Amino acid sequence: MKIKLLILGLIISMTSCSPRIVNTWNIDKYKVTNDKGKSMTSENIGTITFKKNGKGEKKLNYNLFQNDYSDTSPFEWNMYNDYIVLKTSNKDKDSNLNKTWIIVEDSSKKQVWKSTDGENMVQILELSR
């Protein structure tokens, strides 16, 4: 009985160390709003994968403001209490998603993040598993 409890405790402690973000997520919605209130939304733009080692991969295709974007760049990530930072792993290829995102909703099945471009645009990402 003690061995079973010890094994159960080890399993729980090993899985609790891994942030809930570690997984492959569908990006259901990517919305961008400019300072004039004009917004564009792209839906089902691809997937983003977060690995336990702090690295990740994106597989995205979307259109915003009549521009087509494709993003398959690797990235590094760090998650904090209420925000997540995505940064490029490849200096030659940057991404619109590589930035600091405020986590608005954080559950095991759904994530909602918000960010800005540092000027006049606000972005919202909705992810699901």
Side-chain angles (χ1 to χ4, degrees):
M1 183 66 169
K2 288 181 183 180
I3 293 175
K4 287 181 183 179
L5 288 175
L6 180 63
I7 292 172
L8 180 62
L10 286 172
I11 290 171
I12 290 171
S13 68
M14 286 172 35
T15 57
S16 65
C17 294
S18 177
R20 89 173 81 214
I21 195 71
V22 172
N23 209 325
T24 297
W25 294 80
N26 297 313
I27 301 181
D28 298 329
K29 194 179 287 188
Y30 180 43
K31 181 177 180 181
V32 178
T33 305
N34 67 18
D35 61 338
K36 295 176 176 87
K38 196 175 204 181
S39 66
M40 292 290 298
T41 301
S42 287
E43 295 184 356
N44 301 314
I45 68 170
T47 61
I48 187 166
T49 301
F50 297 89
K51 300 177 184 176
K52 288 182 184 181
N53 64 358
K55 297 188 185 297
E57 301 169 347
K58 295 184 275 313
K59 295 179 184 170
L60 311 175
N61 287 298
Y62 58 99
N63 181 292
L64 284 174
F65 299 107
Q66 299 179 357
N67 293 310
D68 290 326
Y69 297 93
S70 178
D71 185 353
T72 57
S73 62
F75 63 94
E76 297 173 8
W77 64 274
N78 289 304
M79 186 173 229
Y80 303 94
N81 288 336
D82 55 355
Y83 65 98
I84 186 166
V85 179
L86 308 182
K87 52 190 171 185
T88 186
S89 293
N90 181 350
K91 301 293 181 199
D92 296 331
K93 187 168 182 173
D94 203 12
S95 167
N96 290 333
L97 301 186
N98 291 347
K99 61 177 74 190
T100 300
W101 293 88
I102 298 168
I103 301 169
V104 177
E105 185 175 334
D106 180 20
S107 72
S108 61
K109 301 282 184 196
K110 183 176 181 182
Q111 297 278 318
V112 178
W113 303 348
K114 287 188 178 183
S115 190
T116 69
D117 67 352
E119 294 181 17
N120 300 321
M121 302 257 198
V122 175
Q123 295 99 7
I124 299 173
L125 271 180
E126 293 183 15
L127 303 103
S128 69
R129 287 202 261 205

